[in-house]
Amino acid sequence: MKIKSFHPPQRVLMGPGPSDVSPRVLAAMARPTIGHLDPKFVELMDEMKSLLKYAFQTQNELTMPVSAPGSAGMETCFVNLVEPGDKVVVCQNGVFGGRMQENVERCGGIAVMVQDDWGRAVDPQKLEDALKANPDAKVVAFVHAETSTGALSDAQALVEVAHRHGCLTIVDAITSLGGSPVMVDAWDIDAIYSGTQKCLSCTPGLSPVSFSPRAQEKIRNRKSKVQSWFMDLNLVMGYWGGATKRAYHHTAPINALYGLHEALVMLQEEELENAWARHQRNHLALRAGLEAMGLDFVVPENERLPQLNAISVPQGVDEAAVRALLLSDYQLEIGAGLGAMAGKVWRIGLMGHASNPRNVRLCLGALDDVLGRMQAPITRGVAVDAANLHLAA
Ligand SMILES: *Cc1c(COP(=O)(O)O)cnc(C)c1O
């Protein structure tokens, strides 16, 4: 058999990411490839840095996209800021905190784990206690928006505690950036990484990062070389750096960067505050519909992420069969539970371009139909009306 071109189906992506990509971003990515040292491309890189500074709300000069997915942004932060023997306090309230521990240990660091319940925000008091018990800790790491559970933590409060104990901070903002407030300078975050496929309406594969002058100082004064050649920021800066001539480090993913540039232009046009408000408004409409149907959220109300709604699967319902029917009959993808929550929850994303009233209505109508057909214990025919009340208000 001769293999032909691949034509993916047109889906609606309402899972934990990737989320729907704006057609403007896809169109930008189809433009002609130019050289990665072409003066026109260098112009795009400079614009990219200022657009990312806006998205992160920072003046940090060391702000750029890592040429690989969010996990590589995570690893870039850890390999540069953690030296062998360094003690790092990691707050864990879901799957991604566990990956932070893995990163610390692979850097030769000592991870001190602070555990919170899955589905809850990180408790600043527990961090405070851990830092009192470990006065030699050098870094504190936590996930701002835990995509595995739908919990949002108070990043500003956690950073304040860390700094009071003389620690640098590494913050995972993969799912929060563009969907919830992320204020790198106002909150005094030292190292932060994000992803393009969650609330930025872009394709997966790039990881915006930003480092404070304090973090850069620590990187410059390392006793040992960063063990990753590709992620060593001292080298990457030769390509992404400011005034100096751009030197070849690796071939930038040119067309992917066109896409991120367009996504960030769209964010600037909408304005951050309006993007946050849109995510909140659509979340409240979806919530009204889900609750009218009789479905329950996993996370307490004041700790919920607007862009990731984790709901409990009703008793006796085959959760995978529901997702399969949504996909086959509605072209609609929602997420399954991850780690300890596998089989127990669905994760409904309203991220970036996908956070819109049409998707709220589509998802509620589809769930009403599919759960109804499966004889699930829900109230039928009320969800879309409940959401509409909210969308009209
Ligand atoms: C999606 C996600 C990641 C991983 O990003 P990839 O692009 O899949 O590597 C890490 N942390 C959080 C909180 C995420 O939501």
Side-chain angles (χ1 to χ4, degrees):
M1 189 194 75
K2 192 147 180 255
I3 295 177
K4 300 200 197 82
S5 305
F6 179 66
H7 292 281
Q10 186 77 48
R11 308 279 202 212
V12 176
L13 301 180
M14 296 180 69
S19 58
D20 285 348
V21 176
S22 162
R24 274 179 63 175
V25 170
L26 292 175
M29 291 173 78
R31 290 174 194 151
T33 304
I34 58 175
H36 66 114
L37 295 169
D38 188 306
K40 280 289 173 195
F41 190 69
V42 172
E43 270 176 36
L44 172 133
M45 289 167 72
D46 286 338
E47 288 183 5
M48 177 79 78
K49 285 203 278 188
S50 56
L51 288 164
L52 280 177
K53 285 185 189 172
Y54 170 68
F56 276 127
Q57 292 289 285
T58 182
Q59 299 300 321
N60 287 341
E61 269 315 306
L62 188 42
T63 301
M64 52 160 205
V66 172
S67 301
S71 303
M74 176 188 277
E75 194 143 345
T76 297
C77 290
F78 284 92
V79 295
N80 281 278
L81 289 177
V82 180
E83 288 201 75
D86 282 355
K87 203 179 248 192
V88 181
V89 176
V90 176
C91 303
Q92 180 173 19
N93 61 341
V95 166
F96 292 102
R99 293 200 180 171
M100 288 178 150
Q101 173 180 21
E102 188 68 29
N103 268 274
V104 170
E105 289 170 357
R106 284 174 191 237
C107 293
I110 301 150
V112 176
M113 299 304 290
V114 177
Q115 299 288 349
D116 274 291
D117 288 342
W118 288 37
R120 297 300 307 270
V122 172
D123 181 356
Q125 186 57 49
K126 284 193 190 166
L127 174 61
E128 177 93 52
D129 296 344
L131 288 169
K132 278 189 189 136
N134 295 277
D136 53 340
K138 299 217 164 108
V139 178
V140 166
F142 64 88
V143 179
H144 184 210
E146 235 318 334
T147 324
S148 65
T149 68
L152 179 66
S153 291
D154 185 343
Q156 184 174 21
L158 294 168
V159 170
E160 192 273 320
V161 172
H163 284 167
R164 211 158 11 81
H165 292 269
C167 288
L168 290 174
T169 47
I170 298 177
V171 179
D172 179 323
I174 292 200
T175 286
S176 46
L177 191 69
S180 310
V182 174
M183 314 289 285
V184 170
D185 287 0
W187 298 350
D188 211 9
I189 291 168
D190 297 296
I192 189 163
Y193 58 92
S194 189
T196 43
Q197 77 275 32
K198 313 264 168 134
C199 294
L200 294 180
S201 315
C202 189
T203 51
L206 293 170
S207 179
V209 295
S210 185
F211 294 84
S212 73
R214 208 186 289 124
Q216 286 189 59
E217 175 83 6
K218 159 110 184 173
I219 297 167
R220 266 196 302 275
N221 294 330
R222 283 178 63 105
K223 289 189 273 310
S224 54
K225 263 191 183 176
V226 173
Q227 86 266 16
S228 161
W229 174 84
F230 185 71
M231 291 173 190
D232 183 342
L233 286 169
N234 294 304
L235 305 178
V236 174
M237 282 309 284
Y239 181 53
W240 274 98
T244 53
K245 198 174 165 306
R246 309 291 159 105
Y248 169 63
H249 177 262
H250 64 279
T251 309
I254 310 287
N255 293 57
L257 290 169
Y258 297 165
L260 178 57
H261 183 274
E262 188 68 17
L264 293 169
V265 167
M266 286 173 55
L267 184 62
Q268 191 187 53
E269 284 171 5
E270 182 179 17
E271 296 181 9
L272 271 175
E273 293 76 7
N274 296 331
W276 301 334
R278 172 170 55 85
H279 282 87
Q280 185 64 18
R281 200 166 52 242
N282 291 319
H283 157 70
L284 291 177
L286 182 75
R287 180 186 91 173
L290 293 171
E291 289 182 345
M293 222 185 272
L295 295 170
D296 298 320
F297 275 76
V298 172
V299 178
E301 186 167 351
N302 59 349
E303 298 174 10
R304 272 178 212 162
L305 268 173
Q307 57 274 54
L308 197 284
N309 300 271
I311 52 174
S312 302
V313 175
Q315 277 291 320
V317 173
D318 178 348
E319 76 83 20
V322 170
R323 283 185 295 109
L325 278 175
L326 291 173
L327 196 65
S328 64
D329 294 3
Y330 289 90
Q331 301 296 316
L332 173 63
E333 178 181 281
I334 67 168
L338 208 58
M341 291 195 166
K344 299 186 186 130
V345 307
W346 289 303
R347 292 181 300 153
I348 304 176
L350 281 170
M351 299 184 181
H353 188 65
S355 177
N356 63 62
R358 191 201 58 162
N359 280 1
V360 170
R361 295 187 180 104
L362 171 73
C363 181
L364 291 171
L367 277 174
D368 184 279
D369 171 32
V370 168
L371 289 173
R373 271 194 265 161
M374 295 176 77
Q375 319 285 322
I378 58 156
T379 309
R380 294 199 64 184
V382 295
V384 177
D385 283 345
N388 280 338
L389 279 179
H390 243 281
L391 292 168

